Amino acid sequence: MKFAIGILEGDDIGLEVVPECVKVMKAAAARTGLEIDWQDLPIGAKGHETHGHTMPEFLLNALKDVHGFIQGPIGHAAYPKNDPTWVTPRLRKIHQLFASVKPVKSYSNLPSIHEGIDIVFLREVTEGLQSHTVTVAETGEYRPNDEITIATRIITRTGSRRVIREAFEIARTRERKKVTVVHKDAVFKLACGMFMEEARKLAVEYPDVEFDDIHVDTIAMKLVMEPQIYDVVVTTNQFGDILTDLGAGLVGGLGLAPGLCVGDTQAMAQATHGSAPDIAGQNIANPYAMIISGKMLLDWLGRKHDEPKAIEAANLIDKAVDDVIAEATHLTGDLGGTVGTREMGDAIAGKIVQ
């Protein structure tokens, strides 16, 4: 089939790393014969310049018709004062992108706290303590008096079930086939309790996947000491927000932290790092996280639509990135190399077309 993929470059280094992601994806698509209709769509500062809004209506309408999209990092600090749009949460909500999927992987020739790390974290991102849009008043916090502030945490069976199911589906594609559900139901007996109830129900549907669970404080300790024992880890919004950054720190930082926001019908490739305005325009930003995010989008599209060409394209990107990192001759400065953003992207794309 032919996929429609939106390209939202974002701001600052997004204008540099997103083109490298698209370059590599195009090389993999050409190699496998995968047809893609690429659609350039303005967002962020470019959206404001061309359509008067950082999230123009034109963009929102166009995104309804794509299978997935690539979103570069957003530079909110530089937005006009009359347009304070918080882009990413709104896109997640509009498109019901309920699962933030963030893999962390260590490489033998790159500095990391441990060797042999290969974990996929899944974080629910449409509800929980951090999602204010689950309430009518659009706030999850209120202050009845100056001494007291109350924050609400929303957990639903639907929200729990769909992110946990995605974790099991991903685990099925991996060698170890193991899912670990993170919670604190000893304390939050209803909220985390509901999350675990849905996890246990789903585990029965996936007898081929090993299932276990652990308290959030315990896994924080074990990730630092022995991260190799984990394969696919799934949890609620705030717990996941913390654990995914911990995971990135284990393998070298946000430059090695790709991501994919997954929904029922669409997915958004989005690296974890920010827009880094301090290094923008210098051709020194590391494109790894954005390129692997694009690879994840192709893999998801292949699984979702039963399109082997997309899965093959994703595997080609994975191998090309591994080869370039192993050779260590075309890496950006933060990875110990001496080349620029474009040169690293060229090297990865070149491995694919060889």
Side-chain angles (χ1 to χ4, degrees), residues 3-311:
F3 292 116
I5 296 180
I7 305 171
L8 289 63
E9 290 187 340
D11 302 310
D12 303 319
I13 64 167
L15 306 178
E16 299 171 73
V17 296
V18 171
E20 299 311 307
C21 171
V22 174
K23 176 197 299 178
V24 170
M25 291 175 72
K26 284 182 175 180
R31 176 80 182 271
T32 61
L34 178 66
E35 291 189 76
I36 299 177
D37 173 22
W38 302 94
Q39 300 181 19
D40 289 301
L41 301 171
I43 197 171
K46 186 180 291 186
H48 198 280
E49 291 168 6
T50 56
H51 291 80
H53 198 287
T54 52
M55 284 186 67
E57 201 65 29
F58 159 76
L59 165 77
L60 297 177
N61 290 331
L63 287 179
K64 295 176 183 176
D65 298 322
V66 300
H67 294 91
F69 50 101
I70 303 161
Q71 185 199 296
I74 299 297
H76 296 281
Y79 285 1
K81 298 303 181 185
N82 65 337
D83 192 352
T85 309
W86 195 246
V87 171
T88 301
R90 188 177 174 199
L91 283 178
R92 288 173 178 165
K93 201 71 178 178
I94 291 171
H95 297 273
Q96 280 299 289
L97 305 175
F98 54 82
S100 176
V101 184
K102 296 185 177 181
V104 295
K105 178 180 178 181
S106 60
Y107 291 87
S108 59
N109 62 322
L110 296 181
S112 61
I113 295 176
H114 296 277
E115 295 182 355
I117 302 172
D118 187 1
I119 307 171
V120 177
F121 290 95
L122 283 90
R123 165 193 170 198
E124 204 292 324
V125 287
T126 61
E127 54 185 42
L129 187 61
Q130 290 162 264
S131 184
H132 62 276
T133 55
V134 295
T135 61
V136 174
E138 293 198 355
T139 178
E141 297 181 310
Y142 63 99
R143 183 172 293 171
N145 62 54
D146 194 52
E147 289 295 318
I148 300 172
T149 297
I150 299 172
T152 56
R153 179 186 183 203
I154 307 297
I155 303 293
T156 68
R157 293 197 184 277
T158 297
S160 301
R161 189 164 51 247
R162 60 189 184 180
V163 71
I164 296 167
R165 184 179 294 281
E166 184 66 21
F168 276 101
E169 290 292 330
I170 290 173
R172 272 186 167 170
T173 69
R174 291 168 61 83
E175 184 178 349
R176 294 173 62 190
K177 295 180 171 55
K178 178 183 177 181
V179 168
T180 300
V181 180
V182 177
H183 61 91
K184 188 72 172 179
D185 70 357
V187 177
F188 305 111
K189 297 182 185 298
L190 296 181
C192 282
M194 180 178 287
F195 197 75
M196 279 307 304
E197 287 166 16
E198 294 307 308
R200 293 187 183 100
K201 292 176 189 175
L202 282 167
V204 176
E205 298 181 26
Y206 295 84
D208 55 321
V209 176
E210 182 184 350
F211 162 71
D212 68 357
D213 66 279
I214 189 170
H215 281 183
V216 62
D217 47 339
T218 305
I219 195 173
M221 175 187 69
K222 288 193 173 183
L223 281 169
V224 173
M225 298 176 67
E226 196 178 6
Q228 299 90 343
I229 65 176
Y230 297 106
D231 182 25
V232 177
V233 175
V234 59
T235 189
T236 52
N237 199 339
Q238 189 176 42
F239 292 165
D241 190 19
I242 297 165
L243 291 180
T244 50
D245 273 20
L246 190 160
L250 290 175
V251 298
L254 294 180
L256 294 171
L260 186 73
C261 284
V262 171
D264 287 325
T265 60
Q266 291 179 310
M268 172 178 67
Q270 179 192 35
T272 302
H273 61 70
S275 67
D278 56 318
I279 63 169
Q282 300 177 48
N283 191 40
I284 60 174
N286 178 1
Y288 171 94
M290 201 69 247
I291 289 171
I292 295 296
S293 299
K295 168 258 177 183
M296 293 171 67
L297 176 58
L298 289 176
D299 184 70
W300 182 85
L301 288 171
R303 289 191 291 112
K304 188 72 178 178
H305 298 278
D306 194 23
E307 175 51 81
K309 291 179 181 178
I311 295 173

